[in-house]
């Protein structure tokens, strides 16, 4: 592991036993051999569809659920196998912010108590008032709101309380599990900016989980794309958004609705549904939705391989480190984009006039 | 889009004082539990009746010149309004008011004590069953399912019959009857709360099971469990009365409302108004407990 990494995840796997509609017990690979590292002061974005295992991964990292295989190292310390007493010490440095601002606060406790609970847990009776009120101020809540109950607050304010609860212990790493996806767009922006500011102020590292690519681009230094329990592509934010490599990533990029005319990654439009997790297919898990799938993809599971710099992709098409789109296809898409531009460009101009 | 965070740099002392003032101010504007109950007329009525019953039960010997167990056989079954015996007399010529005052002692005990005991045991079992996962829950709930094989009254009769008649055995049989339903209601309430994210948040913070149960669990299941348990007080009075009625609870000549109903059943045709008086008392007292519990639940709701 690198010296600057605060969290290092190696070969983390988790399977769940479920029963299918016929009552047969099946195994679902929720998280499959995931490797991830988070540097100090870094924000790692984790993107994936619902059901891709990103929330499970988050819960594995903070050890809300036990993993089957793999290692989670926090500040060089392996968390697996720690006793609950040792784990408690680690927990004060590693916190989590949850998705749902409504169910993540205890409705019977005031905002103050909800935040102070974390201090009580760690036996900190001294300066509880001061610490809680300071952190509440830092997240932009007034002293008045400290004595209110969660139902008296808006969704955005509740999420601020959630963030305050995570920060009151002065953590090093905060796992943000879709912290803004339940909020209105305008409130999202406020909370995201708040998170950015707090990161500077508290010297935090984030794992930022979201299905919203725009939000992840805004927040993250590094991005990991997750599909079906596997990481399929990891890169720095600029590299990933500048030149996505994995067909799934391109499909996601193409599905971002934009007002401006973003270039489409030709040939990677969204098709099909994710496969049934109860009946996993052999080979690449994405091949049923991939227009470029070959016979090799059916037989062989692709692994994450390094390409230029830290850009890693799990795709057979990239084995030769070249663009897997043929020249003719590229020309076609280029011609299409020109056609598009001229058509819609003129219309837009007319509208503006 | 940029949000500015206003940070006021108080001196530490000022800051602390401000915070405490603010919290105090806020708690003052928020109506407390007692204030909410105070403004509820139903709560007043129900409390008045329950306090009256408890008071008269405690001070029964000072309130009546008659004895609850011996009467004048010549004054049998006097109608309501007889001078000296306002509610009439029973089949042995004992003053009805005296019997009802003394009977209230036993009946109130029968209503509150078994339910309180069952609540402690059943509540604890329910919390353990709901909180500690599927395996524990299966073991506890399957054991308690045995009690569901019988209707409450039949079960109480069976246990009392096995233990023999008498007040002491009633205090054993009644809690046993109520443990299973209380445990089930509690376990269900726990499970509903357990799936919520603030539970996971508490675990991420490293809280022990006891901390989670104390701060997050009990506060949130209190209302639904209390709502159910308070209805059991009325039922407990009725079941205890039924046991007395069948001769399994209180033994004559001790006064108890259920036992009085039984001994007066033959008088239903001759003095119906006197015969139903203990029944009216049971009804009113059970009603008062239920209404008070409704008011307490409303007052406990932080949302109101």
């Amino acid at each position: 592991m690198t010296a600057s990494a605060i969290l290092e995840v190696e070969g983390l796997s988790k399977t769940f036993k479920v029963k299918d509609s016929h009552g047969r017990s099946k195994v679902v690979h929720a998280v499959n051999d995931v490797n991830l590292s988070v540097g100090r002061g870094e924000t790692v974005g984790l993107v994936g569809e619902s059901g891709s295992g990103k929330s499970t991964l988050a819960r594995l990292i903070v050890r809300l659920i036990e993993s089957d295989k793999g290692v989670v190292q926090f500040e060089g310390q392996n968390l697996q196998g720690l006793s609950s007493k040792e784990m408690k010490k680690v927990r004060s440095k590693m916190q989590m912010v949850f998705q749902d601002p409504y169910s993540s606060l205890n409705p019977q406790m005031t905002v103050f108590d909800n935040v102070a609970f974390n201090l009580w847990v760690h036996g900190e009776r001294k300066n509880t008032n001061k610490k809680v009120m300071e952190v509440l101020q830092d997240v932009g809540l007034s002293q008045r709101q400290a004595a209110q109950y969660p139902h008296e607050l808006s969704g955005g304010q509740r999420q601020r309380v959630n963030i305050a609860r995570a920060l009151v212990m002065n953590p090093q790493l905060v796992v943000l599990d879709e912290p803004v996806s339940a909020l209105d767009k305008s409130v999202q922006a406020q909370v995201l900016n708040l998170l950015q500011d707090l990161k500077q102020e508290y010297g935090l590292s984030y794992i930022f989980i979201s299905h919203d690519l725009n939000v992840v681009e805004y927040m993250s230094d590094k991005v990991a794309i997750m599909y079906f329990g596997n990481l399929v592509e990891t890169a720095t934010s600029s590299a990933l958004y500048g030149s996505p490599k994995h067909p799934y990533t391109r499909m996601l990029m193409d599905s971002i609705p934009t007002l401006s005319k973003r270039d489409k990654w030709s040939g990677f439009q969204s098709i099909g549904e994710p496969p049934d997790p109860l009946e996993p297919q052999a080979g690449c898990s994405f091949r049923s939705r991939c227009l470029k799938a070959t016979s090799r993809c059916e037989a062989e599971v692709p692994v994450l391989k390094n390409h230029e710099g830290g850009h890693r992709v799990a795709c057979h098409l990239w084995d030769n480190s070249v663009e897997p789109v043929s020249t003719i296809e590229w020309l076609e898409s280029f011609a299409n984009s020109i056609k598009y531009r001229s058509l819609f460009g003129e219309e837009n101009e007319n509208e503006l006039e | 889009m940029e949000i500015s965070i206003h940070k006021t740099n108080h001196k530490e002392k000022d800051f602390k004082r401000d915070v405490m003032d603010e919290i105090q101010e806020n708690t003052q504007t928020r109506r407390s539990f007692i204030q909410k109950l105070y403004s509820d007329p139903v709560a007043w009525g129900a409390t008045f009746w329950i306090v009256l019953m408890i008071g008269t039960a405690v001070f029964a010997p000072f309130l009546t010149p008659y004895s609850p167990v011996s009467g004048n056989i010549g004054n049998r079954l006097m109608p309501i309004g007889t001078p000296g015996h306002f509610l009439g007399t029973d089949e042995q010529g004992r003053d009805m008011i005296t019997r009802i005052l003394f009977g209230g002692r036993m009946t109130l005990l029968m209503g509150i004590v078994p339910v309180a005991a069952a609540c402690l045991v059943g509540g604890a079992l329910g919390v353990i069953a709901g909180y500690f996962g599927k395996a524990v829950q299966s073991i506890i709930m399957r054991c308690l399912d045995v009690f569901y094989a019988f209707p409450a009254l039949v079960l109480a009769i069976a246990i009392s019959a096995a233990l023999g008649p008498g007040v002491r055995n009633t205090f054993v049989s009644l809690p046993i009857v109520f443990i299973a339903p209380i445990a089930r209601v509690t376990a269900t309430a726990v499970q509903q709360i357990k799936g919520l994210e603030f539970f996971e948040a508490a675990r991420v913070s490293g809280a022990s099971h006891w901390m989670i149960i104390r701060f997050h669990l009990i506060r949130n299941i209190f209302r639904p469990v209390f709502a159910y348990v308070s209805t059991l007080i009325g039922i407990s009075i009725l079941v205890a009365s039924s046991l007395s009625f069948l001769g399994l609870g209180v033994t004559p000549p001790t006064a108890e409302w259920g036992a009085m109903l039984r001994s007066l059943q033959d008088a239903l045709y001759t003095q119906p108004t006197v015969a139903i008086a203990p029944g009216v008392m049971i009804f009113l007292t059970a009603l008062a407990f239920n209404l008070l519990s409704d008011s307490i639940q409303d007052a406990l709701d932080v949302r109101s």
Side-chain angles (χ1 to χ4, degrees):
Chain A
M1 66 178 271
T2 50
S4 62
I6 186 165
L7 183 91
E8 194 94 354
V9 176
E10 279 163 34
L12 202 62
S13 300
K14 176 72 188 176
T15 56
F16 290 113
K17 282 195 189 108
V18 292
K19 288 221 164 102
D20 69 0
S21 51
H22 300 286
R24 289 178 299 225
S25 55
K26 293 266 166 109
V27 173
V28 176
H29 295 266
V31 172
N32 207 352
D33 195 23
V34 166
N35 297 301
L36 194 70
S37 88
V38 183
R40 229 168 251 284
E42 204 174 48
T43 301
V44 174
L46 196 59
V47 184
E49 290 168 306
S50 51
S52 61
K54 50 195 195 308
S55 282
T56 308
L57 180 59
R59 281 164 172 74
L60 284 173
I61 289 171
V62 299
R63 217 172 149 213
L64 265 175
I65 46 181
E66 297 292 330
S67 62
D68 297 338
K69 245 185 4 212
V71 178
V72 177
Q73 283 196 322
F74 181 75
E75 293 185 317
Q77 191 180 18
N78 186 359
L79 299 188
Q80 260 62 27
L82 280 190
S83 70
S84 57
K85 212 174 171 185
E86 292 166 314
M87 196 62 208
K88 195 172 158 184
K89 277 184 201 154
V90 178
R91 287 201 188 282
S92 63
K93 296 187 213 156
M94 188 167 70
Q95 283 291 308
M96 185 159 169
V97 173
F98 290 87
Q99 176 177 10
D100 183 4
Y102 293 91
S103 71
S104 51
L105 296 173
N106 186 343
Q108 299 291 330
M109 279 156 80
T110 59
V111 166
F112 183 94
D113 287 351
N114 261 300
V115 176
F117 179 76
N118 271 10
L119 292 172
W120 301 338
V121 164
H122 291 270
E124 288 192 36
R125 301 268 165 196
K126 261 195 273 170
N127 291 333
T128 311
N129 273 324
K130 192 170 159 256
K131 277 185 185 166
V132 173
M133 293 315 293
E134 269 174 1
V135 80
L136 284 176
Q137 275 192 330
D138 283 348
V139 299
L141 290 172
S142 68
Q143 297 181 1
R144 206 185 142 63
Q145 280 151 342
Q148 286 183 315
Y149 283 94
H151 71 269
E152 293 166 311
L153 304 180
S154 69
Q157 286 169 331
R158 283 157 180 252
Q159 208 58 319
R160 284 166 194 267
V161 179
N162 258 326
I163 294 166
R165 176 173 61 189
L167 293 186
V168 75
M169 291 306 300
N170 256 321
Q172 304 283 310
L173 174 75
V174 180
V175 179
L176 304 151
D177 185 10
E178 308 221 22
V180 295
S181 57
L183 305 176
D184 292 344
K185 276 285 170 206
S186 53
V187 182
Q188 275 191 14
Q190 290 177 7
V191 173
L192 290 175
N193 285 327
L194 173 70
L195 285 170
Q196 296 278 42
D197 293 343
L198 291 171
K199 188 184 162 189
Q200 297 299 321
E201 204 180 320
Y202 284 76
L204 300 169
S205 312
Y206 285 150
I207 293 180
F208 187 90
I209 298 172
S210 181
H211 57 252
D212 188 332
L213 285 158
N214 286 329
V215 166
V216 170
E217 182 178 14
Y218 176 69
M219 290 295 292
S220 310
D221 305 312
K222 235 164 63 176
V223 181
I225 308 283
M226 205 161 173
Y227 183 75
F228 221 66
N230 297 294
L231 287 189
V232 294
E233 185 167 0
T234 63
T236 58
S237 187
S238 55
L240 191 115
Y241 282 85
S243 63
K245 293 196 184 323
H246 196 279
Y248 177 61
T249 316
R250 292 189 169 187
M251 193 185 100
L252 285 179
M253 297 286 173
D254 280 0
S255 65
I256 301 176
T258 48
L259 293 175
S260 61
K261 293 171 293 293
R262 196 193 264 251
D263 286 335
K264 295 286 181 186
W265 295 97
S266 166
F268 294 99
Q269 68 263 46
S270 170
I271 53 162
E273 293 279 318
D276 183 0
L278 295 176
E279 306 284 350
Q281 44 192 3
C284 177
S285 53
F286 187 63
R287 70 180 161 82
S288 60
R289 299 167 86 182
C290 182
L291 292 178
K292 308 274 180 233
T294 63
S295 56
R296 192 180 164 203
C297 302
E298 287 174 34
E300 207 180 313
V301 181
V303 290
L304 267 183
K305 281 182 192 156
N306 216 343
H307 292 261
E308 348 149 1
H311 203 141
R312 295 191 297 163
V313 192
C315 181
H316 294 310
L317 300 172
W318 285 90
D319 267 3
N320 303 321
S321 291
V322 290
E323 178 74 33
V325 182
S326 67
T327 322
I328 296 174
E329 271 177 318
W330 186 82
L331 280 173
E332 266 176 13
S333 69
F334 185 69
N336 274 335
S337 68
I338 291 174
K339 237 194 294 180
Y340 245 60
R341 247 173 226 169
S342 56
L343 264 176
F344 291 99
E346 278 162 24
E347 261 178 35
N348 283 348
E349 276 162 25
N350 289 340
E351 274 171 24
L352 283 173
E353 282 161 15
Chain B
M1 290 248 284
E2 280 293 325
I3 170 165
S4 60
I5 302 163
H6 301 286
K7 276 183 93 178
T8 40
N9 289 318
H10 295 271
K11 282 178 192 166
E12 198 170 303
K13 255 188 186 170
D14 291 349
F15 182 80
K16 213 165 183 177
R17 206 184 54 220
D18 282 2
V19 170
M20 295 326 290
D21 285 354
E22 192 72 48
I23 288 177
Q24 213 157 17
E25 205 175 284
N26 216 319
T27 30
Q28 274 163 4
T29 50
R30 189 191 308 284
R31 291 192 310 155
S32 72
F33 169 67
I34 300 294
Q35 282 170 319
K36 282 186 209 165
L37 266 189
Y38 190 83
S39 60
D40 184 355
V42 177
W44 272 108
T47 311
F48 171 75
W49 182 257
I50 291 169
V51 168
L52 184 73
M53 284 302 105
I54 293 173
T56 53
V58 170
F59 297 107
F62 306 105
L63 297 173
T64 168
Y66 303 105
S67 156
V69 288
S70 59
N72 182 351
I73 205 77
N75 291 340
R76 291 180 71 232
L77 291 173
M78 304 281 274
I80 283 179
T82 309
H85 301 288
F86 187 67
L87 279 183
T89 56
D90 71 357
E91 78 288 346
Q92 294 193 31
R94 295 173 292 205
D95 180 46
M96 278 301 283
I97 289 183
T98 309
R99 294 278 287 168
I100 283 173
L101 290 180
F102 278 90
R105 292 179 157 186
M106 198 47 83
T107 307
L108 285 175
L109 281 182
M110 292 288 190
I112 296 167
V113 175
V115 173
C119 193
L120 285 180
V121 180
L125 282 174
V127 167
I128 292 168
Y131 185 78
F132 289 104
K134 252 185 181 167
V136 182
Q137 182 172 22
S138 302
I139 294 169
I140 292 178
M141 294 323 272
R142 290 301 85 74
C143 291
L144 292 177
D145 278 349
V146 175
F147 293 100
Y148 275 101
F150 312 98
L153 187 56
V154 176
L155 183 62
I157 291 169
I159 299 170
S160 289
L163 295 171
V167 180
R168 222 171 44 180
N169 290 339
T170 312
F171 282 120
V172 177
S173 66
L174 283 180
I176 293 176
V177 172
F178 295 129
I179 283 174
I182 291 176
R184 176 166 284 191
V185 168
T186 311
T188 313
V190 171
Q191 273 180 318
Q192 280 174 353
I193 300 295
K194 206 186 155 193
L196 299 177
E197 279 179 346
F198 68 81
F199 245 81
E200 287 190 313
R203 284 182 56 208
V204 170
S205 73
S208 62
H209 290 312
W210 169 238
M211 284 286 276
I212 295 177
I213 289 173
R214 185 172 144 212
F215 284 97
H216 290 303
L217 194 72
I218 291 182
R219 287 184 191 205
N220 281 291
I221 61 168
F222 188 79
R223 260 160 47 79
V225 172
F226 185 77
Y228 179 68
V229 166
S230 57
T231 63
L232 290 181
I233 292 179
I235 294 176
S236 183
I237 291 176
L238 295 175
V239 173
S241 300
S242 306
L243 287 179
S244 304
F245 184 84
L246 293 168
L248 287 168
V250 178
T251 44
T254 313
E256 197 269 338
W257 294 345
M260 289 160 69
L261 259 188
R262 175 187 54 164
S263 59
L264 280 166
Q265 63 176 323
D266 295 332
L268 258 181
Y269 297 103
T270 48
Q271 288 294 358
T273 45
V274 174
I276 64 166
V280 171
M281 294 304 291
I282 292 173
F283 167 74
L284 287 178
T285 309
L287 184 71
F289 274 114
N290 283 353
L291 289 178
L292 182 63
S293 94
D294 280 353
S295 298
I296 289 177
Q297 280 168 60
D298 288 342
L300 278 176
D301 191 357
V302 292
R303 285 179 180 80
S304 66

